[in-house]
Amino acid sequence: EDQVTQSPEALRLQEGESSSLNCSYTVSGLRGLFWYRQDPGKGPEFLFTLYSAGEEKEKERLKATLTKKESFLHITAPKPEDSATYLCAVQATGNNQGGKLIFGQGTELSVKP
Amino acid sequence: ETGVTQTPRHLVMGMTNKKSLKCEQHLGHNAMYWYKQSAKKPLELMFVYNFKEQTENNSVPSRFSPECPNSSHLFLHLHTLQPEDSALYLCASSHGAGTEAFFGQGTRLTVV
């Protein structure tokens, strides 16, 4: 069964304190891995897509990496405005999967000034 | 104007009511999705439409009925819901397999 597990469930950082969020996945075949940011009461906002092991993507203070079993979202020198829930999702290969996303439960990040 | 627009943003309905959620996308995508987000649980796929055709129904109870009249519009018709159906309902669209999905702001549904 395709599955995504994120850790930790919650992370509290001081402003400027770098850290990483983990996304472990089990999937029959990986079509793509996606990172989203979600603010309270809003829909998820797309951040990155990763397709193959070794691939990396960066955007401002965020950097996403991918291996054959997991992905990391590295946050460098975070600011309070980076506080949000970060969601990881995978798409599996297969004739009838379409664009279906399988989500993890998310990591709630809080950055204190 | 956001790429994916959902209305209403908030909805309170009784268990005997009938209501509909609406989603419209302005991104030129051919695939549209309904997801359900309950507290402390992962987003859960409900329905997938590709080029207006339903390609996946993720074992959703019949009290939820989707409708996709064209590639830009998606509806979720609700009737005789249960309190446990209270959740954030999210609409998304994409170019299909292998591409990122873009989400609307969601409809916060409360069943009383």
Side-chain angles (χ1 to χ4, degrees):
Chain A
E1 181 183 348
D2 300 330
Q3 194 171 349
V4 177
T5 303
Q6 292 186 245
S7 62
E9 289 189 11
L11 181 62
R12 290 189 174 188
L13 299 174
Q14 288 296 126
E15 185 173 2
E17 180 186 3
S18 302
S19 188
S20 297
L21 282 56
N22 178 262
C23 171
S24 297
Y25 63 91
T26 304
V27 66
S28 52
L30 182 68
R31 191 187 294 276
L33 185 142
F34 303 83
W35 281 98
Y36 288 85
R37 168 191 171 131
Q38 186 174 27
D39 292 298
K42 296 189 175 182
E45 174 189 347
F46 170 72
L47 293 174
F48 303 109
T49 308
L50 300 167
Y51 291 107
S52 57
E55 190 174 359
E56 299 182 352
K57 293 275 181 74
E58 282 190 74
K59 179 180 179 181
E60 297 180 353
R61 295 176 293 281
L62 300 177
K63 180 181 178 180
T65 62
L66 180 65
T67 72
K68 289 186 177 180
K69 294 184 177 181
E70 58 191 350
S71 176
F72 291 94
L73 185 65
H74 306 279
I75 303 177
T76 302
K79 298 181 177 181
E81 53 262 42
D82 294 323
S83 298
T85 296
Y86 290 84
L87 303 173
C88 173
V90 298
Q91 275 187 20
T93 57
N95 292 332
N96 62 346
Q97 293 294 324
K100 173 182 177 180
L101 290 171
I102 302 163
F103 279 88
Q105 73 275 29
T107 293
E108 187 176 350
L109 175 65
S110 175
V111 182
K112 300 299 183 183
Chain B
E1 177 183 299
T2 59
V4 181
T5 304
Q6 290 187 244
T7 55
R9 291 294 310 278
H10 302 272
L11 178 62
V12 179
M13 61 185 289
M15 288 189 285
T16 58
N17 291 161
K18 289 183 179 181
K19 297 286 185 182
S20 295
L21 310 184
K22 178 183 176 182
C23 177
E24 183 175 0
Q25 60 99 357
H26 309 278
L27 300 170
H29 292 157
N30 49 267
M32 296 189 76
Y33 314 83
W34 281 116
Y35 284 85
K36 175 183 178 181
Q37 188 174 33
S38 303
K40 303 298 183 184
K41 293 177 69 176
L43 270 78
E44 178 184 355
L45 180 69
M46 300 176 73
F47 301 104
V48 181
Y49 278 84
N50 277 290
F51 294 102
K52 304 187 298 178
E53 299 296 322
Q54 186 178 133
T55 56
E56 183 149 351
N57 175 338
N58 208 26
S59 302
V60 179
S62 60
R63 57 186 183 269
F64 295 92
S65 175
E67 178 189 0
C68 188
N70 55 60
S71 293
S72 299
H73 293 86
L74 185 64
F75 295 89
L76 188 61
H77 304 298
L78 316 171
H79 64 98
T80 58
L81 294 190
Q82 305 298 313
E84 58 264 30
D85 296 321
S86 299
L88 181 67
Y89 289 85
L90 291 159
C91 173
S93 70
S94 77
H95 285 299
T99 67
E100 58 273 13
F102 291 87
F103 286 81
Q105 296 289 50
T107 295
R108 172 66 64 185
L109 174 66
T110 304
V111 181
V112 297

